[in-house]
Amino acid sequence: MRHRKRKSGILLVTQLPLKGTGGLSPQIVSGTRKGRKKGFWHELVHNRVLFLMLLPTLLFFLVNSYFPMVGVYYAFTQFDFNSGLFNAPFVGLKNFEFLWRSGTLVKLTLNTIGYNLAFILLGNVLAIVCAILLSELRVKWFKKLTQSVMFLPYFVSFVILSVIVYNVFNYDNGFLNTLLSQFGANPVDVYNNPVIWILLIILFYLWKNLGYSMVIYLASITGISEEYYEAAKIDGAHIFQRIWYITVPMLKSTFVMLLLFSLGSIMKGQFDLFYQLIGNNGVLYNTTDILDTYVFRSLKVTFDVGMATAAGLYQSLFGFFLIMTVNYIIRKINDDYALF
Amino acid sequence: MTIKDDHYTRLLQGVAYTVIILGSLACLIPFLLIISASLTANDSIIKDGYHFIPAQFSLEGYKTVFTFPDEVLRAYGVTLFTTVIGTTLGLFFMTMAGYVLARKDFKYRNTFSFYIYFTTLFGGGLVPWYIMITKYLHLTDSYGALIFPGLMTPFLIILMKNFIRSAVPEELFESAKMDGAGDFKIYWRIVLQLSMPGIATVGLFLALAYWNDWFSSSLFINDPHKYQLQFHLYNVINSASFIANMGAGTGVSLGSDLPTESTKMAMAIVVTGPILFLYPFIQRYFVKGLTIGAVKG
């Protein structure tokens, strides 16, 4: 014990100039560069095995995430695959200007944020409602069974989603039109109706993800102490009051946490969902095109690399500032909920 | 318990059972539609459309899928291979990372945690990443392109770290160290043994992502022999002529009376089958992962 204390005392000395470098602010780090370096090399040698074990992960993110950040340079060029990676003519902000002038950027931004807001709000509210109702079920096997069934769609691939959509909505022999014709109604051409898809996309998002968030909320409900409910019962609160005044407030922290996570990625669309449902059906782009699908198409279909990079960079930057702002505000209101 | 409370409780029970039953049906019905369609005679689908219950029972869809099993089997092989290799490698790296980041005496753990977390905040976007994989790593048309991008995610690393934290008490590291165990030995002999449930959870998350991946194939693979299962299905669904071409390579002419519709649905069932079959057994691990992950990252 004594030995350990002494050791940690020594560590503290080398640690001193590092205070505040544990996390997030590179400015502070550069201010005390010298002290850091010595400490760092010392650590590197001392804990070389730990560093070595972390190395694959560090390399992975370096190659998969950090190196590509340099590539945002292409956003300022008229890039094509033949002219070599760094020989593309520099065009400044022209790509952005085009995206802005053509109205593409505004449309994509509104679509992306609009869909995500609908996903976040509807998704969370429904998940909370379902989790509360599920937790009230008394028959145990039934509770387990239905929870599993509602979680199931999360596990199938998005390609299966496109099979389902094809099965139900295709014009010639889809389930919907079969049903309609049985009742003597006219068939509906869903694939050429841009407005219906707003609903369908939201619907299928909920179908696929409701079980996932429901499980999270269910876990927090299970964590609420039975004593609260007993006490409320004695005080004469009926079941709806118990839910409204105990369960719902207790779910607040889970809700805020999930909300923040999703707000952070509000500029990132559900690419799989949109691409598998819409694909390359140009008729529907106005209401269903999001930044991710636009970038993908520019890369793989129209080969407009510069433009695609520009749209992608815009997406990243916008999202980054958004999350920084949200986090800053949350920090001011309640430090506990801040993401970092 | 008052009479009023009794009344409300019964009301809530009624609402709860109704909503949950409806919700569960909504989750199941699409699968039933596909299963039913895969068991329907193709003529009947073309004439009368898709139904809940096969209007005219037939196994011809499955027969067509298995008459020329080469492509679907190869796609199965590719997916199985990438899933096994990717999950094994990813788990090895992520458990090591989770262990190092869980060690409270590792001084730079916050810095490295942030290094990993930052990639979720900002990125170069799809295009520079695509160029990185194709032009610098030269992974086009290789299994590497199917395995590498999915090896790790920040979410799973943090999940792994939390699992290890909750499974292995801090004192155990110290006492093992006192006994002269090296850092890697502690990981290999103690951490891995104690956090098996956590490893299973993270591994299943990873395996599911590999199994359901179609995106990597669509981006990086031009050679149909290396298409993943999901992308194979995607092609079958999205090209009307695909099934007609299926027999072409083998020199067998199938003519125009090929059961395209029921074959598409049969293919969907063949592709999803393993997930549906394994689901009851693996589901609880995911529930556990979400529960622990939700406790705060």
Side-chain angles (χ1 to χ4, degrees):
Chain A
M1 203 58 209
R2 174 156 291 185
H3 170 73
R4 247 171 55 212
K5 243 183 191 156
R6 191 174 59 84
K7 205 175 164 196
S8 72
I10 293 171
L11 275 178
L12 200 68
V13 175
T14 43
Q15 225 168 15
L16 261 179
L18 291 167
K19 269 223 146 188
T21 56
L24 329 173
S25 45
Q27 301 96 319
I28 300 175
V29 177
S30 57
T32 55
R33 193 92 193 251
K34 259 188 185 157
R36 178 173 200 248
K37 233 177 177 173
K38 190 181 164 217
F40 182 76
W41 288 118
H42 174 84
E43 271 289 306
L44 192 62
V45 177
H46 186 69
N47 277 327
R48 56 190 175 279
V49 179
L50 291 181
F51 275 97
L52 219 57
M53 290 173 79
L54 198 56
L55 191 65
T57 307
L58 300 182
L59 282 178
F60 174 81
F61 285 103
L62 190 68
V63 172
N64 206 43
S65 308
Y66 286 96
F67 281 163
M69 287 180 197
V70 181
V72 297
Y73 167 75
Y74 302 131
F76 308 98
T77 63
Q78 199 160 30
F79 181 89
D80 73 272
F81 279 108
N82 301 324
S83 63
L85 291 171
F86 286 99
N87 298 326
F90 186 81
V91 293
L93 293 174
K94 250 199 178 140
N95 289 328
F96 295 95
E97 209 183 309
F98 175 83
L99 285 171
W100 176 255
R101 284 251 173 93
S102 62
T104 318
L105 222 47
V106 177
K107 183 187 85 183
L108 293 175
T109 309
L110 287 179
N111 279 351
T112 310
I113 293 184
Y115 276 111
N116 270 329
L117 281 180
F119 293 161
I120 294 168
L121 291 179
L122 282 174
N124 277 299
V125 169
L126 282 180
I128 290 176
V129 169
C130 285
I132 290 176
L133 292 180
L134 195 71
S135 72
E136 291 295 330
L137 297 186
R138 300 245 171 93
V139 186
K140 245 197 167 155
W141 66 265
F142 187 76
K143 196 171 166 176
K144 268 201 164 146
L145 181 74
T146 44
Q147 187 199 328
S148 303
V149 167
M150 290 174 86
F151 197 14
L152 178 62
Y154 174 76
F155 288 79
V156 298
S157 79
F158 280 92
V159 182
I160 291 295
L161 212 60
S162 79
V163 178
I164 291 168
V165 170
Y166 175 83
N167 184 313
V168 178
F169 296 111
N170 90 64
Y171 184 78
D172 294 325
N173 40 34
F175 181 70
L176 179 71
N177 283 344
T178 309
L179 211 64
L180 286 175
S181 71
Q182 268 173 2
F183 289 108
N186 287 328
V188 191
D189 191 0
V190 177
Y191 277 91
N192 281 314
N193 188 331
V195 183
I196 292 182
W197 285 95
I198 301 177
L199 283 176
L200 286 182
I201 284 175
I202 295 174
L203 199 73
F204 277 105
Y205 171 83
L206 293 174
W207 184 77
K208 193 127 181 9
N209 291 299
L210 193 62
Y212 184 91
S213 15
M214 191 184 76
V215 166
I216 297 179
Y217 282 117
L218 211 55
S220 341
I221 293 178
T222 323
I224 302 173
S225 162
E226 206 40 53
E227 282 168 32
Y228 293 118
Y229 294 105
E230 293 299 329
K233 233 181 204 173
I234 291 165
D235 287 345
H238 60 70
I239 180 83
F240 286 108
Q241 287 171 327
R242 294 200 294 268
I243 290 176
W244 187 250
Y245 291 108
I246 301 173
T247 316
V248 173
M250 289 296 232
L251 290 180
K252 199 179 113 192
S253 68
T254 310
F255 171 71
V256 173
M257 194 192 71
L258 288 181
L259 184 73
L260 284 177
F261 265 119
S262 29
L263 277 181
S265 51
I266 200 164
M267 287 301 279
K268 289 179 201 146
Q270 300 271 333
F271 175 78
D272 292 81
L273 176 71
F274 284 82
Y275 194 76
Q276 287 298 343
L277 290 191
I278 307 299
N280 295 324
N281 186 351
V283 184
L284 307 177
Y285 285 164
N286 249 331
T287 55
T288 62
D289 210 11
I290 55 170
L291 278 158
D292 301 77
T293 44
Y294 177 82
V295 171
F296 181 80
R297 267 203 327 277
S298 304
L299 175 68
K300 290 300 278 189
V301 183
T302 55
F303 301 107
D304 208 339
V305 176
M307 208 67 80
T309 317
L313 177 60
Y314 161 78
Q315 179 185 24
S316 280
L317 280 177
F318 198 114
F320 183 69
F321 284 118
L322 216 59
I323 193 170
M324 283 305 180
T325 318
V326 169
N327 194 55
Y328 177 79
I329 295 170
I330 299 290
R331 242 182 190 201
K332 288 266 147 156
I333 299 171
N334 187 343
D335 205 32
D336 287 342
Y337 288 133
L339 286 173
F340 46 86
Chain B
M1 196 180 263
T2 61
I3 296 165
K4 199 170 151 198
D5 188 27
D6 205 36
H7 180 70
Y8 278 137
T9 306
R10 241 179 302 154
L11 177 66
L12 181 75
Q13 287 289 312
V15 173
Y17 276 99
T18 316
V19 171
I20 296 299
I21 287 174
L22 286 179
S24 305
L25 283 180
C27 290
L28 273 184
I29 282 173
F31 295 108
L32 295 180
L33 275 174
I34 297 181
I35 293 174
S36 149
S38 74
L39 293 169
T40 309
N42 197 53
D43 295 341
S44 146
I45 295 179
I46 294 192
K47 219 166 68 217
D48 306 322
Y50 289 117
H51 286 275
F52 256 123
I53 298 152
Q56 197 188 328
F57 183 83
S58 158
L59 287 173
E60 59 182 3
Y62 290 95
K63 272 187 197 141
T64 316
V65 170
F66 288 112
T67 310
F68 306 104
D70 291 12
E71 294 189 35
V72 69
L73 282 185
R74 191 162 39 221
Y76 248 104
V78 172
T79 293
L80 214 58
F81 176 74
T82 50
T83 304
V84 169
I85 301 291
T87 306
T88 313
L89 276 178
L91 263 186
F92 182 53
F93 296 151
M94 286 199 293
T95 45
M96 285 198 299
Y99 159 68
V100 174
L101 296 175
R103 287 266 304 248
K104 287 224 167 82
D105 59 332
F106 184 62
K107 207 163 80 184
Y108 293 97
R109 67 178 193 285
N110 285 333
T111 315
F112 287 127
S113 290
F114 190 72
Y115 170 89
I116 294 167
Y117 178 63
F118 183 75
T119 59
T120 65
L121 299 179
F122 184 77
L126 177 73
V127 181
W129 176 71
Y130 174 82
I131 291 172
M132 181 80 213
I133 304 274
T134 54
K135 298 282 162 182
Y136 286 92
L137 300 180
H138 303 288
L139 290 179
T140 310
D141 267 340
S142 77
Y143 291 115
L146 299 177
I147 294 172
F148 175 75
L151 273 180
M152 303 178 209
T153 71
F155 167 70
L156 288 181
I157 292 177
I158 290 168
L159 191 61
M160 198 65 237
K161 185 188 85 179
N162 287 348
F163 265 123
I164 291 174
R165 276 242 171 102
S166 63
V168 190
E170 188 72 19
E171 299 79 48
L172 213 56
F173 292 140
E174 290 175 23
S175 61
K177 251 186 148 171
M178 294 272 198
D179 292 341
D183 291 325
F184 189 80
K185 200 168 180 187
I186 296 175
Y187 157 79
W188 193 251
R189 303 294 277 280
I190 297 173
V191 174
L192 285 190
Q193 312 297 328
L194 288 181
S195 41
M196 263 311 163
I199 293 171
T201 300
V202 173
L204 284 169
F205 264 108
L206 203 58
L208 186 71
Y210 274 112
W211 186 270
N212 282 341
D213 183 28
W214 58 277
F215 188 55
S216 314
S217 289
S218 86
L219 269 186
F220 303 121
I221 306 294
N222 305 313
D223 172 10
H225 289 179
K226 285 179 183 148
Y227 282 164
Q228 290 155 299
L229 193 55
Q230 304 294 341
F231 194 62
H232 178 68
L233 174 66
Y234 174 77
N235 285 330
V236 171
I237 301 301
N238 283 284
S239 65
S241 59
F242 195 90
I243 293 162
N245 291 335
M246 245 167 72
T250 54
V252 182
S253 170
L254 285 158
S256 57
D257 54 342
L258 216 76
T260 48
E261 293 303 311
S262 52
T263 307
K264 283 180 181 178
M265 297 301 143
M267 188 73 88
I269 294 300
V270 169
V271 165
T272 317
I275 296 274
L276 295 181
F277 180 74
L278 285 176
Y279 178 66
F281 308 103
I282 59 175
Q283 184 241 138
R284 65 196 174 95
Y285 287 102
F286 286 87
V287 172
K288 200 173 196 172
L290 291 186
T291 313
I292 289 210
V295 171
K296 177 130 187 148

